[in-house]
Each structure stands twice: as structure tokens, then as C-alpha cells.
Amino acid sequence: MVLTYATPMRMIVSLALLAAAPALAQAPDTQRRSDQERAYDARRRGDLLPNKVIEARVLPQMKGYEYLGFDIDFASGVYTLKFLRNGTVVWVDVDGRTGQIIGRTGR
């Protein structure tokens, strides 16, 4: 049997990690809420089209593809819509300000 004793420095580090744990656990939720607020604010200001408008423009052009959802890059204002067809993933990039398709990967 091996016995170890905690040095004062180990105790301080352990306490610091325990103290930081609740803040670290909340970080993804805070980030998600921040993203939602940024999206809401951008749409309210008219900087970005709502995702429903983007989807209404793109989905009819993607017949035969399964729509999986979207992501948005606030820095560039680009929506990325993700589709699946015959085991192949296809991403369609859309300008969030105009609704125009600006790129596509996969087939």
C-alpha cells in the first residue's frame, strides 16, 4: 500500500480546479446563449436573414437530399446548410445577408 500526503501546493491546485469546475461546466451553455443572442440581434438589425428564409431558398434546390441542419459563422455572415444523399455529406454555403448560394462541397 502506498501512502501519499498532499503538499500545500497540491491542495491549492486541487482547490482551484474545484472552484473553477462550475464555471467550466457552464461555458458551453453560456456560449450557446451568446450565439442565440448574436443571431437574434443580427436578424433584428437586418444584418442577417432568418434561417427560415435561407432554408426556404435553398431546400427546393436540393431535391433528393436529406436536410440535416445548419450552422452560422457570425464573423462572415455565412450560413452552412448540411445535407446527406447516398451516404455523401454535402455542405451548401449561403450568404446570410443576401440569401445567395456562394459555395457547395460534395455532390
Side-chain angles (χ1 to χ4, degrees):
M1 174 154 86
V2 176
L3 294 176
T4 60
Y5 92 95
T7 64
M9 182 54 89
R10 281 188 186 163
M11 290 173 64
I12 291 171
V13 170
S14 296
L15 291 174
L17 289 174
L18 285 174
L24 294 173
Q26 293 175 356
D29 185 50
T30 303
Q31 179 64 39
R32 183 170 36 90
R33 201 169 318 124
S34 175
D35 286 349
Q36 291 171 347
E37 289 170 359
R38 288 172 31 186
Y40 174 78
D41 289 342
R43 286 190 298 266
R44 189 179 44 126
R45 286 189 314 267
D47 294 342
L48 292 177
L49 294 169
N51 63 299
K52 296 295 183 194
V53 171
I54 299 293
E55 291 169 343
R57 292 182 183 186
V58 176
L59 294 180
Q61 299 178 47
M62 301 300 290
K63 293 189 186 316
Y65 290 82
E66 179 183 354
Y67 178 53
L68 302 175
F70 74 95
D71 194 14
I72 184 166
D73 178 6
F74 293 103
S76 65
V78 172
Y79 283 87
T80 300
L81 283 68
K82 186 175 179 180
F83 297 88
L84 181 66
R85 182 177 183 181
N86 299 327
T88 301
V89 177
V90 175
W91 290 272
V92 177
D93 293 329
V94 181
D95 184 322
R97 293 168 189 90
T98 65
Q100 298 297 314
I101 294 175
I102 55 176
R104 180 176 168 159
T105 61
R107 288 284 163 197

